[in-house]
Amino acid sequence: MIRKPKNSEKAFEEAVKYIPGGVNSPVRAFKSVGGTPRFIKRAKGAYLTDEDNNRYIDLIGSWGPMILGHAFAPVENAVRKAIRSSFSFGAPTVKEVEMARLITDLMPSVEMVRMVNSGTEATMSAIRLARAYTGRNKIIKFEGCYHGHGDAFLISAGSGALSLGVPDSPGITPSTLQDTLTAPYNNLEAVKALVNSHKGQIAALIIEPVVGNMGCVLPADGYLQALRDICTQEGILYIFDEVMTGFRLAPGGAQERFGIQPDLTTLGKIIGGGMPVGAYGGKKEIMQMVAPSGPMYQAGTLSGNPIAMSAGLAMLKHLKKHPEVYEQLEETGQYIAEGLRKSVAELGLGYTVNQVGSMYSLFFTPEKVIDYTTAKTADTAKFGKYFHGMLQRGVYLAPSQFESLFLSAKIDRKLANKILRASHDTLASLAED
Ligand SMILES: *Cc1c(COP(=O)(O)O)cnc(C)c1O
């Protein structure tokens, strides 16, 4: 039984007085689904507990990091141990070296890496580096791909921006707009056309190798490799934004799963084990342009701080040592996707399920969802009702149609069945409306 969220409602009433929209990141608000966001007081394993003591199966996992479930003991212990030695020194530590070595080991395309504090910082820095390295100004990004809130990326940005209906934020200068070229995802001709009409001007092409930020959208067969070939031919740096997919779709991320070698990679989320961390890395020749070994300036007071490094290291070491986690996540992901497809068919609803590994989305549209345009055919009002039906049944989904859901290793067969049952009952009740 889920109780009325009285304490969350009270907290939200206070929150909106002092915090814009009552939240510190727009995706947390329930703006696109209606209602009051739940205020969470703790989480353990597969479950979140809110301020009214309601317990939910968590399918957000802090938007990705909690791949092993909440308060995972090795991560918790590593953090406990680290805080005894103070929280930050502003001087190098051996943990940073260990982290860098581990990342380069897990992701062979990353020969050198710089730690930062968020995915946004990672992508902003990677773009600056690409511009510095190539001496060119323009970048190509894809409609519906989100790369953090850096100015250059807030153009057709997906997820939060998509849900709120402000794909182009005010405050972005015309010159920034001019330097960001956009193409539809999974469309090769559009990229070729952009490259041909801007010969020698494009520094980088940045992509989510599997998109999470317009809902889960997979790259078409051969698409990522075709982009690799264009970039190589044209001297464009190929940047994989693996903030979401890194260490999630395989120990070596989407690039391992699809067998692609990007020039630069951006990381975040899982790499911090729940602490605020990001990283960018790639070919040595390019990374050596970063200060102080080169002229491209990028810095950070708390970058590589020992608490975040300890959490991330414990997480990555566990994942490296237990590759069977990925098999389990794959199995659970497929099981849920198949269950949803069966349920949807049984109820005579033509909805679409996209899934890869532990990422999936149920789109409220009969269209095959392959890009931003097809994602937007989804019935968001219906999704809002589905979201609340699921919440009422104790399953916490991302409060937007345009987000991927994330499974953790703590979702076993029993919980997967619970999720499927809740979904089937919710869809059935919506069909009666
Ligand atoms: C979450 C995300 C980011 C931004 O990371 P923050 O830590 O929120 O700044 C960038 N790129 C992708 C693909 C993401 O999913």
Side-chain angles (χ1 to χ4, degrees), residues 240-300:
F240 263 25
D241 182 355
E242 295 228 42
V243 169
M244 198 177 264
T245 54
F247 317 109
R248 175 165 286 279
L249 293 183
Q255 52 195 270
E256 176 184 330
R257 196 175 172 116
F258 296 101
I260 308 286
Q261 290 261 319
D263 299 305
L264 291 173
T265 298
T266 54
L267 298 166
K269 297 185 172 132
I270 289 178
I271 205 179
M275 302 292 278
V277 179
Y280 65 103
K283 289 196 181 126
K284 201 170 200 160
E285 187 198 335
I286 305 170
M287 288 304 292
Q288 272 175 332
M289 282 205 75
V290 179
S293 84
M296 196 290 289
Y297 197 72
Q298 182 271 311

Side-chain angles (χ1 to χ4, degrees), residues 118-120 123 146-148 208 213 241 243-244 269:
S118 69
T120 295
T123 53
Y146 179 68
H147 304 293
E208 286 182 74
N213 289 296
D241 182 355
V243 169
M244 198 177 264
K269 297 185 172 132

Side-chain angles (χ1 to χ4, degrees), residues 45-323:
Y47 292 95
L48 292 173
T49 304
D50 72 10
E51 290 286 347
D52 295 277
N53 290 321
N54 290 312
R55 210 165 74 123
Y56 307 95
I57 300 172
D58 180 19
L59 292 178
I60 300 183
S62 190
W63 302 94
M66 299 304 172
I67 190 168
L68 298 170
H70 287 278
F72 184 65
V75 175
E76 190 180 326
N77 292 336
V79 170
R80 277 182 198 284
K81 196 168 156 216
I83 53 182
R84 288 189 221 126
S85 308
S86 186
F87 309 154
S88 179
F89 315 121
T93 61
V94 291
K95 278 184 187 143
E96 292 160 88
V97 188
E98 197 183 352
M99 177 61 109
R101 216 185 304 130
L102 187 54
I103 294 169
T104 56
D105 184 33
L106 287 167
M107 280 189 170
S109 82
V110 176
E111 296 168 355
M112 279 188 135
V113 61
R114 167 62 60 83
M115 302 306 301
V116 291
N117 303 293
S118 69
T120 295
E121 255 188 82
T123 53
M124 281 167 48
S125 308
I127 287 294
R128 185 183 307 137
L129 177 57
R131 287 175 168 149
Y133 182 78
T134 58
R136 302 171 177 181
N137 292 334
K138 294 190 192 301
I139 61 164
I140 295 179
K141 79 174 281 289
F142 293 88
E143 292 166 11
C145 280
Y146 179 68
H147 304 293
H149 65 85
D151 283 2
F153 304 117
L154 284 185
I155 291 152
S156 306
S159 97
L162 188 51
S163 295
L164 294 175
V166 282
D168 299 331
S169 168
I172 311 287
T173 63
S175 64
T176 299
L177 261 169
Q178 220 174 39
D179 283 335
T180 302
L181 309 170
T182 60
Y185 197 78
N186 274 328
N187 186 324
L188 200 58
E189 290 314 309
V191 173
K192 283 184 186 162
L194 285 176
V195 168
N196 286 333
S197 54
H198 299 87
K199 280 265 177 213
Q201 297 175 51
I202 301 166
L205 180 148
I206 186 166
I207 190 166
E208 286 182 74
V210 167
V211 191
N213 289 296
M214 50 184 157
C216 177
V217 176
L218 281 71
D221 278 351
Y223 189 59
L224 297 173
Q225 183 60 48
L227 294 176
R228 170 70 279 181
D229 297 342
I230 292 174
C231 287
T232 304
Q233 222 163 25
E234 301 291 333
I236 297 168
L237 294 191
Y238 194 24
I239 306 178
F240 263 25
D241 182 355
E242 295 228 42
V243 169
M244 198 177 264
T245 54
F247 317 109
R248 175 165 286 279
L249 293 183
Q255 52 195 270
E256 176 184 330
R257 196 175 172 116
F258 296 101
I260 308 286
Q261 290 261 319
D263 299 305
L264 291 173
T265 298
T266 54
L267 298 166
K269 297 185 172 132
I270 289 178
I271 205 179
M275 302 292 278
V277 179
Y280 65 103
K283 289 196 181 126
K284 201 170 200 160
E285 187 198 335
I286 305 170
M287 288 304 292
Q288 272 175 332
M289 282 205 75
V290 179
S293 84
M296 196 290 289
Y297 197 72
Q298 182 271 311
T301 301
L302 295 174
S303 292
N305 99 81
I307 311 300
M309 291 304 98
S310 300
L313 272 173
M315 178 75 106
L316 295 189
K317 278 186 195 162
H318 184 92
L319 290 172
K320 186 182 174 199
K321 207 167 140 201
H322 297 278

Side-chain angles (χ1 to χ4, degrees), residues 4-56:
K4 202 171 155 6
K6 283 193 204 132
N7 293 336
S8 281
E9 281 167 6
K10 233 185 288 165
F12 191 59
E13 225 171 88
E14 275 299 287
V16 291
K17 290 184 200 162
Y18 310 108
I19 305 170
V23 291
N24 278 315
S25 190
V27 292
R28 295 175 200 169
F30 278 16
K31 255 201 134 125
S32 67
V33 293
T36 310
R38 300 303 185 263
F39 281 66
I40 304 301
K41 65 176 175 189
R42 65 170 172 269
K44 179 77 192 163
Y47 292 95
L48 292 173
T49 304
D50 72 10
E51 290 286 347
D52 295 277
N53 290 321
N54 290 312
R55 210 165 74 123
Y56 307 95

Side-chain angles (χ1 to χ4, degrees), residues 387-409:
F387 170 85
H388 281 289
M390 291 297 277
L391 199 62
Q392 207 48 41
R393 289 172 177 83
V395 182
Y396 191 90
L397 305 177
S400 162
Q401 168 75 94
F402 306 112
E403 297 285 359
S404 176
L405 298 175
F406 298 109
L407 296 168
S408 78

